[in-house]
């Protein structure tokens, strides 16, 4: 932090009761009624430094109790000096006051309600229902696939070309050994096959999802690396798959999935709650933005 901003922020910290988490220590609060549970450990002028403040500084700075107390005393001395030498009307002080008020608002109004356990069950249930295939599924086989897609509406001539490509690809793979994801990817990237519309995919295949049952039944027979299906004709086209791995069948209930869901969506949920909070605040204000005035260097 530069030498101009430091006094401003120190003076600010003396005005407010703390300056947030981490970084500079929490500014002591003015003297209040003594508490047996939170006695003062030091006084700087009329300002008391309480045990709770020392404990907070220990946690924030990873300090011993004595180090934290000394830090708070030094901070208060600097804050008093800054308060005497820096005007409250200084633009940087006003900006810092606004920033700290925002932090206080977030800490008091939002953060107490943004823990993992605060995520409502209906939100978790909606996520569970949308992603139910992750929690409830039969045996899934992960495969690398080479595909020559057709589709039900493909006309006879291009369908015949696709079938010829599939036969040639099948013969090419029969002549090779040690089928693998790398081999399949290499074939799909080879211009000779790419020009014939051979495409690579990597999927978890159940009996009939995501590819049709004709493909799924063959895939379910695979059991170890190197195992490869024959070329399969299905409504979607022609497909050949080689084994990569598998997941056993699972039937995880919502109750059992709840802790995992809380962990996975917590950050996104916090962000959405913050946006909802700011949007609610925007309802009582007129907001105008002028993005056309941004400089060219600021554009993404």
């Amino acid at each position: 932090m530069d030498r101009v901003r430091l006094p401003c922020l120190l003076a600010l910290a003396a005005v407010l009761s703390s300056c947030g988490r981490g970084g500079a220590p929490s500014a002591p609060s003015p003297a209040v009624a003594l508490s047996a549970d939170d006695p003062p450990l030091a006084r700087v002028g009329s300002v008391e430094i309480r045990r709770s403040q020392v404990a907070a500084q220990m946690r924030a700075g990873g300090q011993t109790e004595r180090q934290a107390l000394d830090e708070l005393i030094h901070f208060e001395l600097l804050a008093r000096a800054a308060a005497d030498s820096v005007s409250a009307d200084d633009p940087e002080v006003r900006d810092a006051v606004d920033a700290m008020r925002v932090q206080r608002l977030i800490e008091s109004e939002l953060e107490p309600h943004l823990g993992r356990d605060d995520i409502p069950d209906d939100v978790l249930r909606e996520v569970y229902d949308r992603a139910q295939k992750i929690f409830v599924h039969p045996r899934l086989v992960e495969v690398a696939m080479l595909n020559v897609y057709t589709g039900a509406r493909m006309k006879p001539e291009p369908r015949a070309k696709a079938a010829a490509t599939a036969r040639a690809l099948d013969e090419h793979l029969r002549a090779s050994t040690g089928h693998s994801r790398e081999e399949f990817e290499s074939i799909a990237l080879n211009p000779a096959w790419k020009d014939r519309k051979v495409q690579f995919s990597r999927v978890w295949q159940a009996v009939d999802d995501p590819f049709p049952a004709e493909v799924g039944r063959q895939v379910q027979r695979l059991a170890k690396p190197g195992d490869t299906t024959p070329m399969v004709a299905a409504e979607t086209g022609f497909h050949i798959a080689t084994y990569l791995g598998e997941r056993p069948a699972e039937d995880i209930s919502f109750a059992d999935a709840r802790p995992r869901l809380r962990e996975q969506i917590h950050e996104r949920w916090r962000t959405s709650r913050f946006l909802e909070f700011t949007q609610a605040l925007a309802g009582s204000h007129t907001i105008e933005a002028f993005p056309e005035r941004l400089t060219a260097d600021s554009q993404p």
Side-chain angles (χ1 to χ4, degrees):
M1 183 179 296
D2 60 62
R3 294 183 179 180
V4 174
R5 292 187 62 83
L6 180 59
C8 297
L9 294 180
L10 291 174
L12 169 64
V15 175
L16 300 177
S17 64
S18 79
C19 65
R21 290 170 290 186
S26 299
S29 304
V32 294
L34 292 177
S35 166
D37 296 330
D38 193 18
L41 301 185
R43 289 189 180 88
V44 179
S46 61
V47 175
E48 293 179 343
I49 300 173
R50 294 297 185 91
R51 183 183 299 280
S52 60
Q53 294 168 311
V54 173
Q57 180 60 26
M58 290 171 64
R59 292 191 297 271
Q63 299 167 316
T64 66
E65 190 173 27
R66 184 53 196 248
Q67 288 171 333
L69 177 60
D70 289 343
E71 187 86 4
L72 289 171
I73 291 172
H74 296 157
F75 184 81
E76 180 59 26
L77 291 171
L78 289 168
R80 294 301 93 206
D84 292 338
S85 62
V86 180
S87 169
D89 294 328
D90 185 294
E92 291 192 8
V93 171
R94 291 200 302 269
D95 289 346
V97 168
D98 286 343
M100 292 180 64
R101 284 173 174 161
V102 168
Q103 180 64 29
R104 283 299 187 86
L105 177 67
I106 291 172
E107 290 176 352
S108 62
E109 299 294 327
L110 272 179
E111 289 191 350
H113 311 291
L114 294 181
R116 287 173 176 78
D117 291 339
D118 294 309
I119 304 175
D121 266 5
D122 60 344
V123 172
L124 297 172
R125 169 63 76 173
E126 182 180 355
V127 175
Y128 176 84
D129 289 342
R130 288 202 311 265
Q132 193 169 25
K133 287 183 180 179
I134 296 175
F135 301 102
V136 181
H137 58 79
R139 175 181 181 251
L140 299 176
V141 181
E142 186 183 20
V143 290
M145 299 184 68
L146 289 172
N147 311 288
V148 183
Y149 292 106
T150 58
R153 297 184 179 181
M154 181 174 280
K155 294 182 179 179
E157 184 177 349
R159 184 181 297 276
K161 289 183 178 179
T165 296
R167 286 193 298 270
L169 179 60
D170 191 29
E171 291 174 6
H172 176 79
L173 287 170
R174 287 176 185 275
S176 66
T177 58
H179 295 156
S180 65
R181 173 183 60 81
E182 292 79 9
E183 180 191 16
F184 276 35
E185 282 185 309
S186 177
I187 289 173
L189 292 172
N190 186 317
W193 293 108
K194 188 174 182 179
D195 290 346
R196 298 178 73 175
K197 296 183 171 54
V198 173
Q199 298 184 39
F200 172 85
S201 62
R202 182 174 179 174
V203 301
W204 289 94
Q205 178 69 36
V207 173
D208 58 358
D209 184 63
F211 287 92
E214 297 93 331
V215 178
R217 285 193 292 267
Q218 293 293 335
V219 167
Q220 289 296 314
R221 296 175 180 176
L222 307 180
K224 63 183 185 302
D227 285 356
T228 304
T229 68
M231 182 66 70
V232 181
E235 182 182 2
T236 49
F238 302 91
H239 312 277
I240 187 167
T242 190
Y243 179 96
L244 299 180
E246 65 180 86
R247 290 172 55 189
E250 291 184 294
D251 188 1
I252 302 173
S253 68
F254 172 66
D256 290 337
R258 189 186 285 113
R260 177 176 163 187
L261 290 169
R262 289 190 190 281
E263 186 68 30
Q264 290 178 340
I265 75 168
H266 181 231
E267 286 305 317
R268 293 197 303 275
W269 179 77
R270 280 172 56 91
T271 300
S272 68
R273 293 290 296 142
F274 176 79
L275 292 176
E276 290 172 9
F277 184 74
T278 56
Q279 287 168 359
L281 296 176
S284 59
H285 299 277
T286 300
I287 301 173
E288 294 182 278
F290 308 99
E292 69 278 3
R293 299 178 184 175
L294 295 173
T295 61
D297 291 343
S298 69
Q299 301 297 329

